Amino acid sequence: MAVNEISSFSGRNIWKGFGKTSLFRGLSITITKGERVLLIGPNGSGKSTLLKILAGIMHPEKGDFILNGNPVAHAPYNLIGYMGHSPMLYSPLSVTENLAITASLTNSHSSIQSLLERLNLSKYVDHRISELSQGTAFRVSLCRAILHNPQLLLLDEPTASFDEDATNRLKEYLNHWNSSGDRCGFIIATHDVRRLCSIANRIIVLKRGEIVKDSSGTFDDEDIVSLYLDAQLT
Amino acid sequence: MIWRSIITLFSKDISIELRTRETLSVQATMSLILGVICSIGAHSAMLSPSEILTVFPILIWFTFLFSSALAVAKGFEYEKDNDAITGIILTGVDPSLIYLSKVTATLFTTILGHILALIVFSLLLNIGILPYIVPFLAVSILCAIGYCSISCLLTPVALSSRLRGAMLPLISLPLMFPILFSAVETTIEIFIDHTFSWSSVWVSILLIFDVIYLTAGINLFEKVVKE
């Protein structure tokens, strides 16, 4: 039977390496409904790899995925929205054409127009991706990731190309996205902890492929600085 | 849903080609350059029309090899650019449908490029192609199906390797040998010996390798694009 809701999603005992370097040696992570997670840690700690594995676009060497308490072969694509380091869009095609491809393949009934308006992208509908700035292309990529109305959103460094205004719009949108509908939550891998800490209720610190800290609650700048420094220095 | 996905992905490739017009223009230029070189070579060697006809099957399939390699590489360039293919995988569409649509789109541009090369060669080398056009195009389609099937499977592997584009001929040419050899032999039967038959052993080999490579592609493409 097709699952159309995520109450919890886990990756258990994940092993992954690159060549002779092993990154994850039995890492486990669970996200449950209502969690808004920031995944932080120094470069090379495995944040992006973990999101790729959870999104189902990278295979771990070993590991199990548990969805709502039941083992699954891989992440359910229809329930997960992923935005990575690249916009994942066809540069010769327009914004609308790119989103129409995603809508057709995911059988999505969401209105592309209203989504573009919400992310302040209406004026770019007929622009080719190659004509957009990097920040704008990533905002279109965010539209692509949420177009099929996913339950769990995985965002890898979403604010890396965003200015202050775009970051505020993203935070505003994520708050709106999380509160509307029956969403599970999101995981954001980022170095931009100060700007994003206000939308998180759980922070996971990753270092050398291991979770070194996992805190839930509300966070202010001082909490973030101490968590981040811990990860960098320990 | 299966057909809608294939049509969406095929239309995407054709839209990109219509927008950029890169693949066909590169193929046309390649055909023209090779046609001119072969024509100058044939005339300076003072080959007779019958001698030119003897080397024609090799020349036309040699050109096919060059221009279709460019077509396949170009077809995957926009998939790697911006990591667009991952965006398609994330829609949850069956990877074998991505593969089939890619083979169809590449087949389309490859055949168009091959027809261009045929026209260029027939004009520059003065070869009458019209009486043989139907069997030759049928054989070309069979050869192109096998070629595109194996190329669309191997190109993502080659582009992900350290050698990138240089890797592709190293891994694909040995696998393409039976297809190209059969195509040359069939072209000799069509243009020179006039003994072409649909039940010829070379047509059977083409069909067998088309089925093998297409089946391998459908089953292995997921592993290739996800690893």
Side-chain angles (χ1 to χ4, degrees):
Chain A
M1 203 174 81
V3 180
N4 53 19
E5 195 181 287
I6 299 181
S7 54
S8 71
F9 181 57
S10 311
R12 282 194 198 159
N13 194 25
I14 295 170
W15 289 72
K16 180 73 187 173
F18 298 96
K20 288 176 183 169
T21 315
S22 72
L23 179 61
F24 299 136
R25 295 171 296 275
L27 179 134
S28 294
I29 184 170
T30 299
I31 178 165
T32 49
K33 199 166 189 164
E35 286 189 320
R36 304 187 301 274
V37 183
L38 279 197
L39 188 61
I40 64 174
N43 289 335
S45 56
K47 303 185 295 294
S48 300
T49 306
L50 181 58
L51 288 195
K52 281 181 185 172
I53 289 173
L54 293 177
I57 51 173
M58 188 181 269
H59 289 306
E61 286 147 16
K62 243 180 8 179
D64 304 307
F65 296 102
I66 314 289
L67 176 68
N68 301 339
N70 302 310
V72 286
H74 58 77
Y77 292 116
N78 61 323
L79 300 181
I80 286 183
Y82 171 81
M83 181 179 138
H85 285 181
S86 304
M88 300 179 195
L89 301 163
Y90 292 94
S91 50
L93 300 181
S94 72
V95 168
T96 320
E97 286 168 328
N98 269 288
L99 296 178
I101 291 169
T102 305
S104 169
L105 295 176
T106 54
N107 210 11
S108 163
H109 301 295
S110 302
S111 162
I112 294 173
Q113 203 57 44
S114 62
L115 199 56
L116 289 171
E117 272 168 27
R118 184 163 272 283
L119 287 163
N120 199 23
L121 288 164
S122 302
K123 60 182 171 186
Y124 299 111
V125 283
D126 294 324
H127 284 57
R128 292 185 190 186
I129 301 301
S130 56
E131 296 166 351
L132 301 179
S133 69
Q134 206 181 14
T136 311
F138 273 96
R139 270 152 63 204
V140 179
S141 183
L142 180 65
C143 283
R144 180 200 51 73
I146 56 184
L147 191 60
H148 61 292
N149 209 13
Q151 283 271 304
L152 175 62
L153 209 48
L154 306 171
L155 307 178
D156 194 0
E157 300 277 5
T159 57
S161 316
F162 286 5
D163 58 19
E164 202 61 40
D165 181 50
T167 304
N168 289 335
R169 274 184 182 276
L170 172 75
K171 285 161 67 176
E172 194 183 296
Y173 184 77
L174 286 175
N175 278 325
H176 162 81
W177 181 84
N178 210 49
S179 58
S180 59
D182 210 17
R183 267 61 184 253
C184 174
F186 55 76
I187 306 179
I188 300 179
T190 187
H191 290 288
D192 197 5
V193 277
R194 280 190 174 231
R195 289 204 287 178
L196 292 173
C197 66
S198 60
I199 57 167
N201 62 9
R202 182 179 170 195
I203 292 184
I204 297 173
V205 184
L206 207 59
K207 192 170 184 188
R208 293 195 202 99
E210 282 176 31
I211 294 174
V212 292
K213 205 155 232 176
D214 189 345
S215 312
S216 296
T218 50
F219 303 94
D220 58 24
D221 277 6
E222 276 181 31
D223 299 324
I224 295 295
V225 170
S226 86
L227 281 168
Y228 202 71
L229 283 178
D230 275 358
Q232 298 281 353
L233 299 173
T234 53
Chain B
M1 188 64 193
I2 289 174
W3 283 109
R4 198 173 80 173
S5 300
I6 291 181
I7 290 167
T8 302
L9 293 166
F10 176 75
S11 316
K12 176 261 295 173
D13 281 331
I14 299 301
S15 299
I16 290 175
E17 180 52 31
L18 289 175
R19 197 70 52 84
T20 60
R21 293 189 184 139
E22 285 177 352
T23 310
L24 277 177
S25 52
V26 165
Q27 283 184 295
T29 312
M30 174 65 81
S31 303
L32 198 61
I33 291 169
L34 288 175
V36 169
I37 291 170
C38 293
S39 166
I40 292 170
H43 288 107
S44 64
M46 287 186 274
L47 297 181
S48 67
S50 63
E51 285 169 328
I52 290 175
L53 196 60
T54 310
V55 293
F56 169 71
I58 297 164
L59 295 180
I60 192 73
W61 288 109
F62 199 61
T63 307
F64 170 86
L65 193 62
F66 273 100
S67 80
S68 48
L70 289 174
V72 176
K74 206 80 201 140
F76 272 92
E77 201 176 286
Y78 288 108
E79 302 293 346
K80 293 295 282 184
D81 185 24
N82 283 340
D83 203 11
I85 196 163
T86 305
I88 297 294
I89 291 166
L90 283 165
T91 61
V93 67
D94 187 337
S96 62
L97 300 184
I98 303 176
Y99 170 78
L100 282 174
S101 64
K102 203 75 205 165
V103 170
T104 315
T106 316
L107 185 67
F108 184 72
T109 47
T110 301
I111 290 293
L112 280 181
H114 191 52
I115 291 170
L116 278 174
L118 188 65
I119 294 167
V120 167
F121 273 78
S122 73
L123 291 175
L124 292 176
L125 297 176
N126 202 20
I127 294 167
I129 55 167
L130 281 179
Y132 316 107
I133 196 79
V134 174
F136 182 72
L137 279 183
V139 167
S140 298
I141 290 170
L142 284 181
C143 178
I145 289 172
Y147 182 91
C148 294
S149 302
I150 196 68
S151 296
C152 287
L153 178 64
L154 297 178
T155 304
V157 180
L159 292 179
S160 307
S161 73
R162 267 194 304 150
L163 288 172
R164 301 211 173 255
M167 182 77 167
L168 188 60
L170 297 179
I171 54 176
S172 63
L173 281 177
L175 292 168
M176 282 164 192
F177 176 76
I179 295 176
L180 289 167
F181 190 74
S182 304
V184 170
E185 287 294 337
T186 320
T187 310
I188 291 170
E189 285 181 354
I190 294 170
F191 281 92
I192 302 167
D193 299 343
H194 307 296
T195 56
F196 174 75
S197 152
W198 288 107
S199 54
S200 124
V201 66
W202 303 114
V203 174
S204 307
I205 291 174
L206 278 175
L207 277 170
I208 288 167
F209 276 92
D210 283 357
V211 171
I212 292 172
Y213 288 162
L214 204 54
T215 311
I218 288 168
N219 288 294
L220 297 175
F221 191 71
E222 181 176 8
K223 291 201 183 304
V224 164
V225 290
K226 282 194 184 173
E227 287 303 323

